[in-house]
Amino acid sequence: ELLVAAIMIGMAACAAPDPIPGGPGRLIDVLLTPASLGKNLTLSQMVVGEFEDQKHSFHVEVEVMPARMAVVGLTPVGLPLFTLEQAEDEIFVETLGVEQFPFDPRHMLFNIQIAHWPEAALREKYEEHGLVLRAPANQKMREVLDGAGTLVVIVTYTGADKTGQDVLIEHFEPPYRLY
């Protein structure tokens, strides 16, 4: 039962293990260090993923401190799916209760960073890898484009500012959404 839930959630949530078309490689190649956030951050989020006309939800607990970032993915009933720990440029992954996990949980780090990291830090790192970050002055959206100008990811914020609001992260290759 846990394996079936993990497979469904994995497909819905993080089905982006393939390289960016025409881009510099995997999205996990452009991860920033936890210290680049510039502050501590604790998040408890219910995530709804859409992939191939299916919706699945899972819970994510996130803690970021300058020395490390920890992420725990849980099923809606609280069963652990994975844990991630990033210390500087090293990432440790443990999938719990599943011998072979259906997606690379490290992609959750990219989604958390594109939604919550400072624009200047993201822009600098992305430019090193041939990506472009666009963010309108109203701060309600962020877009990531590859070197050919093809849209890779859009992040849309629903409220007046980025604290305590809903976030939509839409990937285009492969196509999936996270709320």
Side-chain angles (χ1 to χ4, degrees):
E1 183 176 70
L2 180 60
L3 178 59
V4 173
I7 289 170
M8 291 173 22
I9 290 168
M11 287 173 41
C14 297
D18 297 326
I20 301 168
R26 297 173 178 251
L27 293 177
I28 56 177
D29 290 341
V30 295
L31 293 176
L32 289 86
T33 64
S36 66
L37 178 61
K39 63 181 180 180
N40 292 345
L41 176 68
T42 302
L43 299 170
S44 180
Q45 299 180 324
M46 181 57 71
V47 177
V48 176
E50 290 182 6
F51 179 71
E52 294 184 347
D53 298 326
Q54 296 181 4
K55 285 186 181 182
H56 302 281
S57 60
F58 62 105
H59 195 81
V60 177
E61 297 289 331
V62 179
E63 181 179 60
V64 183
M65 295 180 290
R68 73 183 247 305
M69 176 177 181
V71 180
V72 177
L74 305 163
T75 67
V77 295
L79 298 172
L81 293 170
F82 63 85
T83 59
L84 296 166
E85 186 173 340
Q86 180 184 11
E88 291 299 316
D89 292 325
E90 291 187 74
I91 301 171
F92 307 95
V93 180
E94 181 181 2
T95 56
L96 306 171
V98 181
E99 286 185 28
Q100 182 164 10
F101 211 65
F103 70 95
D104 187 340
R106 295 180 295 170
H107 287 279
M108 287 303 300
L109 298 173
F110 175 85
N111 290 314
I112 293 165
Q113 290 182 358
I114 186 64
H116 298 286
W117 256 240
E119 183 181 325
L122 292 169
R123 186 179 311 283
E124 181 180 333
K125 182 70 171 187
Y126 292 177
E127 286 176 1
E128 291 173 12
H129 291 270
L131 297 172
V132 175
L133 176 69
R134 291 193 310 206
N138 68 11
Q139 297 296 306
K140 290 190 176 268
M141 178 183 287
R142 290 179 172 180
E143 297 176 330
V144 179
L145 296 92
D146 67 12
T150 303
L151 200 53
V152 176
V153 178
I154 293 178
V155 178
T156 306
Y157 303 95
T158 60
D161 63 29
K162 290 184 217 155
T163 57
Q165 64 180 337
D166 290 336
V167 178
L168 168 63
I169 302 173
E170 185 172 7
H171 290 259
F172 292 96
E173 190 58 41
Y176 72 94
R177 292 179 178 193
L178 299 175
Y179 297 96

